[in-house]
């Protein structure tokens, strides 16, 4: 029997079952055909975040940011580069804390940019402040060990 992973489509939110061995083959959603591992971080709102945390079996790194935040804007391209380097082992998403303020209190966000690494719905680690792509990749790898 092949090990399968549940992955929520970033486009239509359908839950997909993908054989673990086929993750590197750029799988697409069975419902809408969108890539399950897009080339860039995908946008989340609170409801979508909840669904990904509830269903996904691939680690998820979320960048909590706001459009008025200079360091957030500076880190955006670096976050996207780290996403390209780590896919499909980790999925990358962004959540605008200005538009979704309830998420800030739920996750006790005190400053942005803030990245939180989730694995199987649970918070594994968090890092506040802008860092470059290599630092993001290194930090994720360090926190997914064990």
């Amino acid at each position: 029997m092949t090990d399968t992973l549940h992955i929520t489509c970033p486009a239509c939110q359908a839950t997909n079952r993908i054989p673990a061995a086929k993750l590197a083959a750029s799988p697409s959603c069975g419902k809408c055909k969108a890539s399950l591992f897009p080339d860039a971080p995908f946008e989340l709102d609170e409801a979508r975040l909840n669904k990904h945390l509830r269903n996904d079996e691939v680690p998820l790194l979320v960048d909590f940011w706001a459009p008025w935040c200079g360091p957030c804007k500076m880190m955006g391209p670096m976050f996207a580069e780290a996403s390209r380097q780590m896919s499909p082992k980790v999925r990358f998403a962004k959540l605008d804390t200005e538009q979704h303020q309830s998420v800030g209190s739920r996750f006790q966000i005190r400053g942005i940019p803030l990245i939180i690494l989730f694995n199987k719905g649970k918070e594994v680690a968090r890092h506040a402040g802008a860092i470059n792509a290599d630092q993001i990749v290194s930090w994720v790898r360090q926190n997914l060990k064990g």
Side-chain angles (χ1 to χ4, degrees):
M1 187 161 110
T2 306
D3 288 333
T4 59
L5 299 172
H6 291 95
I7 301 172
T8 304
C9 176
C12 74
Q13 304 307 297
T15 301
N16 292 263
R17 288 177 33 155
I18 304 296
K22 300 214 175 196
L23 287 183
S26 301
S28 60
C29 176
K31 183 176 179 185
C32 76
K33 307 303 180 210
S35 175
L36 294 176
F37 295 90
D39 292 337
F42 53 92
E43 294 290 330
L44 292 174
D45 58 22
E46 187 169 13
R48 288 176 176 224
L49 174 62
N50 291 340
K51 185 160 189 177
H52 283 267
L53 294 180
R54 189 174 51 250
N55 297 328
D56 288 3
E57 296 177 318
V58 172
L60 176 68
L61 183 63
V62 181
D63 176 15
F64 295 88
W65 70 287
W68 50 260
C69 170
C72 296
K73 288 191 227 176
M74 201 172 70
M75 192 172 102
M78 294 179 266
F79 191 73
E81 174 57 31
S83 172
R84 287 186 288 279
Q85 290 181 34
M86 300 212 70
S87 183
K89 292 182 173 79
V90 178
R91 295 180 9 148
F92 283 61
K94 297 176 77 63
L95 191 141
D96 181 343
T97 58
E98 185 74 13
Q99 287 185 349
H100 308 287
Q101 294 181 9
S102 61
V103 174
S105 60
R106 175 180 166 193
F107 288 101
Q108 300 178 347
I109 296 172
R110 306 281 183 250
I112 54 175
L114 172 72
I115 54 175
I116 299 180
L117 179 62
F118 298 95
N119 194 10
K120 297 182 182 160
K122 305 238 185 297
E123 181 177 330
V124 174
R126 63 174 56 205
H127 181 277
I131 55 178
N132 68 37
D134 291 339
Q135 291 169 317
I136 294 169
V137 169
S138 176
W139 179 83
V140 169
R141 286 184 177 144
Q142 176 185 353
N143 283 291
L144 284 179
K145 287 183 179 175

